[in-house]
Amino acid sequence: MSIRIGNGYDIHQLVPGRSLILGGIKIDHELGLLGHSDADVLTHAIMDAMLGALSLGDIGLYFPPTDPKWEGADSIELLREVNRLLRDRGWRIGNVDSVVIAERPKLKPHISAMRSRLAKALKVDPDQVGVKATTNEKLDAVGREEGIAAYAVVLLLEEDRGGDF
Ligand code: MG
């Protein structure tokens, strides 16, 4: 069986007048993430990890921020698309691990909902999708609540091609 690993990173600015969406879950907060799409930084990091695992580039290549088509895009829809892309190539998710770095709001109450939403979009069990949250201990831009960042690692497994061998 073949395996591949990929990593992803993303960061978006926190600004007033935008919704805060993380892992496909809308979270009550006075600030939201700025971006061309819904700016779901966690979902973006996961997509980049998935594409990276197959050396397929990054999400900017598939969903360019200059294309009006992706304005306000639901990142969970884009995640479904990236998942289709790797399934079409004969790969499936082994597991995802991720971490969101945010000073505020407290994300712990939303972790379980994020895992379920991401797992459903990826057509895997929630126990294959790890989401962790931490603060930046008030350091740097994330610590000053100027933005939220996310890292993700994804392990891909090659589907059994049954009879190819
Ligand atoms: Mg992004």
Side-chain angles (χ1 to χ4, degrees), residues 20-27 38-44 46 74-77 79-80 110 113-119 121 131:
L20 177 59
I21 296 166
L22 292 170
I25 302 299
K26 193 169 181 295
I27 294 167
D38 63 6
D40 183 340
V41 70
L42 171 59
T43 304
H44 292 183
I46 292 172
D74 175 355
S75 295
I76 290 291
E77 280 306 317
L79 181 69
R80 283 197 188 98
H110 309 285
M114 288 184 214
R115 291 179 59 204
S116 298
R117 183 97 210 270
L118 291 164
V131 177

Side-chain angles (χ1 to χ4, degrees), residues 44-64:
H44 292 183
I46 292 172
M47 286 193 277
D48 263 1
M50 291 164 72
L51 291 169
L54 296 183
S55 310
L56 290 174
D58 58 52
I59 53 172
L61 198 67
Y62 298 84
F63 316 110

Side-chain angles (χ1 to χ4, degrees), residues 6-8 42 45-46 49 93-100 128-132 150-155:
N7 83 96
L42 171 59
I46 292 172
I93 299 277
N95 75 302
V96 177
D97 189 29
S98 63
V99 56
V100 184
Q128 288 168 275
V129 182
V131 177
K132 308 185 295 299
Y151 293 90
V153 175
V154 172
L155 186 78

Side-chain angles (χ1 to χ4, degrees), residues 61-124:
L61 198 67
Y62 298 84
F63 316 110
T66 46
D67 189 339
K69 188 175 165 190
W70 308 117
E71 193 174 340
D74 175 355
S75 295
I76 290 291
E77 280 306 317
L78 309 185
L79 181 69
R80 283 197 188 98
E81 195 118 334
V82 169
N83 198 38
R84 265 196 294 275
L85 198 130
L86 63 92
R87 277 177 178 249
D88 286 350
R89 283 170 168 74
W91 294 83
R92 63 184 169 85
I93 299 277
N95 75 302
V96 177
D97 189 29
S98 63
V99 56
V100 184
I101 308 149
E103 211 58 35
R104 274 189 332 122
K106 277 270 164 269
L107 299 179
K108 205 173 171 184
H110 309 285
I111 296 282
S112 159
M114 288 184 214
R115 291 179 59 204
S116 298
R117 183 97 210 270
L118 291 164
K120 201 172 172 195
L122 292 170
K123 297 189 163 81
V124 297

Side-chain angles (χ1 to χ4, degrees), residues 9-12 34 37 39-41 44-45 59:
Y9 167 79
D10 197 20
I11 187 166
H12 282 262
L34 182 64
S37 66
D40 183 340
V41 70
H44 292 183
I59 53 172

